C-alpha cells in the first residue's frame, strides 16, 4: 500500500475559505507540516485543490511523528573510540 | 613566474607582528578573560571515585546499569560504505596527502568545525556521556584540504578517506549570567540565572589514509 507524503510549503493565509478548508481537511495547519494519506482518488482530488501550496511524494509506508523527527536529526558525526576507565 | 613567487614570498614575510592587533585582543586570547577557569567535572551518574583507582576493589561493580541515560555513542552506526572513489579523487588524493599540513571541516551534530591538528575546540554544548581523556573519532566531514588542494564532499566526504581523532580535555563554564525579567505595571523583578557548560576538545590527529587501505 502506498501513501501520499504531503508537505505544506506555502501558507494558506489569504486564500479563499474553500482552499483553507481543504488544508484543514488534510490536517495541514502550518508550513512544512507533513501528513501521510493512502493513495485514493479522494485524497488525490484534495491535493489537486491545493496543488500550488503543497509538495507531494508517493512513498511506501507512512512515518510516525517520531520517525519524521528522526529523519531531520543530523548525524552526530563522532563516536567514542577509546574511553578512559571510569 | 619565478620572480612572481619570489615577490610573493617576500610580501608574505613582510607582514610584521606589529601589523596584528595586540595578542590579548585576538579572539583566542580573548576567551581567557571572558571565561572562568577550566574545571574537570566528574562524570555524571553512576560514577564512583573508586573506579578510577582500581586498588580499592570492593565497590567497583555497581555502575554498569546506571549509565544508560547518558550513554555515549560508542559504535560506528554503519559499516563503511563499499562505494569506490571517483577517478579524479584517486588521482589527486596522493597529492593532497603529500602536502605538509591539512585542515578539515568536521561536522558534529550537523555543525561544521573548521579545524586542524592541535586545535582546541570549545563545543557550544556539554557533550553527554564523555569524560576527560576519552578519544572521539570524528567521522563526518564536508571538506578536507591543505594549502593547495581541497577535497569537498557532497555533502559529506567518504569516511574512509581520513582519520580524525579528538581528545576530550574537560568542561568549561561561562560566567554566571543574570537576566532581569519584568512585567508591566508590576514591581516584581524576576532574575533568571544561567551558567552553561561547554566541552573542550583537542584535535589530536588528522591523517589522510592512502588509497590501498581505502580500497581494501
Amino acid at each position: 500500500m502506498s501513501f501520499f507524503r504531503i508537505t505544506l510549503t506555502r501558507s494558506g493565509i489569504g486564500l479563499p475559505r474553500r482552499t483553507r478548508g481543504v488544508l484543514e481537511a488534510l490536517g495541514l495547519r502550518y508550513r512544512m507540516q507533513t501528513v501521510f494519506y493512502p493513495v485514493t482518488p479522494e485524497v488525490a482530488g484534495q491535493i489537486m485543490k491545493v496543488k500550488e501550496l503543497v509538495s507531494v511524494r508517493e512513498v511506501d509506508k507512512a512515518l510516525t511523528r517520531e520517525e519524521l523527527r528522526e529523519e531531520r536529526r543530523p548525524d552526530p558525526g563522532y563516536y567514542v573510540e577509546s574511553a578512559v576507565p571510569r | 613566474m619565478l620572480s612572481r613567487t619570489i615577490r610573493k614570498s617576500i610580501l608574505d614575510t613582510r607582514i610584521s607582528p606589529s601589523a596584528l592587533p595586540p595578542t590579548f585582543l585576538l579572539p583566542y586570547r580573548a576567551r581567557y578573560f571572558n571565561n572562568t577557569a577550566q574545571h574537570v567535572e566528574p562524570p555524571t551518574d553512576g560514577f564512583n571515585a573508586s573506579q578510577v583507582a582500581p586498588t580499592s576493589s570492593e565497590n567497583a561493580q555497581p555502575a554498569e546499569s546506571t549509565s544508560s541515560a547518558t550513554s555515549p555513542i560508542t559504535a560506528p552506526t554503519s559499516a563503511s560504505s563499499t562505494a569506490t572513489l571517483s577517478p579524479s579523487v584517486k588521482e589527486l588524493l596522493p597529492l593532497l596527502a603529500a602536502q605538509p599540513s591539512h585542515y578539515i571541516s568536521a561536522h558534529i551534530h550537523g555543525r561544521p568545525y573548521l579545524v586542524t591538528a592541535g586545535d582546541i575546540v570549545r563545543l557550544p554544548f556539554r557533550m553527554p556521556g564523555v569524560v576527560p581523556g576519552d578519544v572521539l573519532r570524528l567521522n563526518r566531514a564536508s571538506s578536507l584540504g591543505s594549502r593547495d588542494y581541497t577535497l569537498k564532499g557532497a555533502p559529506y566526504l567518504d569516511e574512509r578517506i581520513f582519520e580524525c581523532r579528538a581528545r576530550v580535555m574537560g568542561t568549561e563554564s561561562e560566567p554566571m549570567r543574570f537576566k532581569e525579567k519584568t512585567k508591566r505595571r508590576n514591581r516584581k523583578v524576576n532574575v533568571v540565572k544561567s551558567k552553561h557548560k561547554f566541552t573542550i576538545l583537542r584535535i589530536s590527529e588528522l591523517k589522510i589514509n592512502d588509497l590501498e587501505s581505502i580500497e581494501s
Side-chain angles (χ1 to χ4, degrees):
Chain A
M1 187 171 176
S2 59
F3 287 83
F4 284 128
R5 179 190 169 126
I6 312 165
T7 305
L8 185 62
T9 51
R10 299 289 301 261
S11 157
I13 292 175
L15 292 180
R17 184 173 294 175
R18 222 24 216 283
T19 313
R20 300 186 69 163
V22 173
L23 289 182
E24 193 183 342
L26 282 170
L28 291 168
R29 298 169 57 188
Y30 44 86
R31 272 190 61 212
M32 306 314 290
Q33 186 179 13
T34 303
V35 292
F36 291 87
Y37 282 104
V39 175
T40 57
E42 291 83 1
V43 176
Q46 284 176 316
I47 293 173
M48 281 307 285
K49 191 78 184 166
V50 292
K51 62 183 184 300
E52 291 85 5
L53 309 180
V54 296
S55 67
V56 185
R57 267 171 45 203
E58 198 177 332
V59 293
D60 289 332
K61 67 185 275 291
L63 303 177
T64 62
R65 256 181 99 88
E66 289 75 29
E67 285 166 336
L68 278 175
R69 194 176 166 73
E70 205 56 41
E71 204 178 79
R72 291 199 300 271
R73 181 190 300 277
D75 188 72
Y78 71 94
Y79 58 90
V80 177
E81 195 172 57
S82 66
V84 293
R86 55 188 85 182
Chain B
M1 177 63 197
L2 187 65
S3 65
R4 192 185 299 164
T5 55
I6 291 171
R7 197 185 309 147
K8 195 178 171 195
S9 66
I10 290 170
L11 282 176
D12 278 348
T13 54
R14 198 176 288 168
I15 297 172
S16 62
S18 63
L20 294 170
T23 51
F24 64 87
L25 284 181
L26 291 174
Y28 180 73
R29 289 277 169 178
R31 187 155 288 163
Y32 280 121
F33 57 82
N34 197 17
N35 216 337
T36 52
Q38 175 178 346
H39 65 276
V40 173
E41 68 166 17
T44 49
D45 47 355
F47 182 81
N48 290 330
S50 63
Q51 284 177 288
V52 171
T55 51
S56 65
S57 62
E58 290 186 6
N59 48 4
Q61 278 84 15
E64 293 296 322
S65 62
T66 53
S67 63
S68 64
T70 58
S71 65
I73 302 154
T74 49
T77 51
S78 64
S80 60
S81 59
T82 54
T84 54
L85 301 174
S86 70
S88 69
V89 172
K90 276 184 187 170
E91 182 189 347
L92 288 170
L93 193 64
L95 297 179
L96 172 63
Q99 297 251 314
S101 65
H102 302 99
Y103 67 87
I104 190 169
S105 92
H107 285 241
I108 300 176
H109 290 306
R111 292 177 188 275
Y113 298 87
L114 180 64
V115 292
T116 183
D119 278 1
I120 290 182
V121 184
R122 184 172 85 154
L123 298 177
F125 57 91
R126 191 184 69 82
M127 192 177 269
V130 296
V131 294
D134 284 355
V135 176
L136 307 181
R137 172 78 182 267
L138 307 181
N139 56 358
R140 273 288 169 274
S142 61
S143 68
L144 172 65
S146 66
R147 181 173 169 143
D148 295 337
Y149 299 97
T150 300
L151 178 57
K152 288 183 177 173
Y156 295 119
L157 292 175
D158 191 332
E159 60 186 77
R160 297 168 297 167
I161 290 178
F162 61 94
E163 282 181 31
C164 183
R165 292 190 175 81
R167 188 175 288 275
V168 179
M169 305 296 287
T171 313
E172 253 179 23
S173 64
E174 59 178 345
M176 177 95 82
R177 286 186 287 160
F178 299 94
K179 169 85 175 173
E180 290 188 347
K181 297 278 201 182
T182 56
K183 288 192 173 172
R184 293 183 188 179
R185 298 172 295 281
N186 191 341
R187 290 184 210 124
K188 183 172 180 293
V189 177
N190 188 18
V191 179
V192 181
K193 298 186 277 188
S194 76
K195 186 174 168 73
H196 290 286
K197 292 181 176 176
F198 307 100
T199 299
I200 313 292
L201 301 180
R202 185 204 289 274
I203 308 299
S204 55
E205 183 185 359
L206 175 56
K207 197 179 80 177
I208 298 179
N209 291 331
D210 50 348
L211 283 173
E212 292 81 37
S213 62
I214 293 172
E215 292 297 316
S216 61

